[in-house]
Amino acid sequence: FTNFTQVERHAILQSRLISDLTSAMESFVKEARTGYGSTYFPADNAIAFVNQNGNCVEYRLEKITTQGKERGEFQRGEKEGGADCQPSLIESSSFTPITSNTTSIDELRFEATIAESGNGVLKNQGVITIALTAQSMKDGIPPITIQNSVTSRQMEPYVQQ
């Protein structure tokens, strides 16, 4: 019975980790897909772009300390308008976590192909590849890595209003 209970707890914790990562990835993918590929601006552990509402959004990895333990948190921030949209220009108070406090993001990587335009027409679409490696804050759960590539669905380059 004890062995069964341990196995069941392990499965539940691993399921929570996978669910948390999947949810965070889906949030990012949805917004990146509808964002302007001509505005993708990747940096170390972060990416910024103009979303479909014309606002600058940034997704980043932030190290925080909770109850004496350091963990990585996947966060989203937004500022009004698309001018100067690049990582680290959004105020820290504007960021909210998109992963739970039971998950620690160990690594967050973004690779982007920025959409090229000429004469007001896109020559290619923007593409972002995101890779997340995370682990549960509970011991005994192995780290998980997930990766996804997203292509912008915007058919025109971003023009600041």
Side-chain angles (χ1 to χ4, degrees):
F1 179 75
T2 303
N3 189 34
F4 171 78
T5 305
Q6 288 175 342
V7 169
E8 196 63 26
R9 284 186 186 148
H10 184 274
I12 290 169
L13 291 172
Q14 192 168 31
S15 177
R16 283 185 189 158
L17 176 61
I18 292 168
S19 178
D20 196 22
L21 288 180
T22 302
S23 177
M25 183 70 80
E26 286 175 7
S27 295
F28 171 77
V29 166
K30 181 179 177 184
E31 189 160 39
R33 183 177 291 132
T34 59
Y36 287 90
S38 58
T39 65
Y40 292 164
F41 198 118
D44 290 336
N45 299 317
I47 193 163
F49 56 88
V50 176
N51 69 9
Q52 67 181 353
N53 299 322
N55 292 331
C56 180
V57 293
E58 178 182 344
Y59 287 85
R60 72 179 186 184
L61 170 63
E62 185 70 16
K63 296 291 185 180
I64 61 169
T65 303
T66 307
Q67 298 174 350
K69 282 186 160 182
E70 184 179 84
R71 67 180 188 85
E73 188 173 76
F74 191 22
Q75 298 179 339
R76 179 195 180 276
E78 182 173 354
K79 73 172 184 150
E80 193 170 316
D84 297 322
C85 186
Q86 55 184 297
S88 73
L89 289 182
I90 297 176
E91 293 179 29
S92 286
S93 62
S94 300
F95 282 87
T96 56
I98 58 173
T99 50
S100 73
N101 60 3
T102 62
T103 298
S104 178
I105 305 298
D106 297 332
E107 184 178 9
L108 176 63
R109 288 189 332 269
F110 295 99
E111 294 178 17
T113 301
I114 300 166
E116 296 177 38
S117 61
N119 298 329
V121 178
L122 285 179
K123 296 178 182 179
N124 66 331
Q125 295 296 101
V127 178
I128 298 173
T129 299
I130 176 176
L132 272 170
T133 301
Q135 61 183 330
S136 174
M137 293 298 289
K138 305 289 184 186
D139 291 335
I141 307 300
I144 295 174
T145 300
I146 61 173
Q147 180 173 312
N148 202 338
S149 292
V150 186
T151 303
S152 171
R153 291 188 177 164
Q154 295 293 341
M155 300 307 288
E156 299 175 3
Y158 174 71
V159 178
Q160 191 170 338
Q161 304 295 333

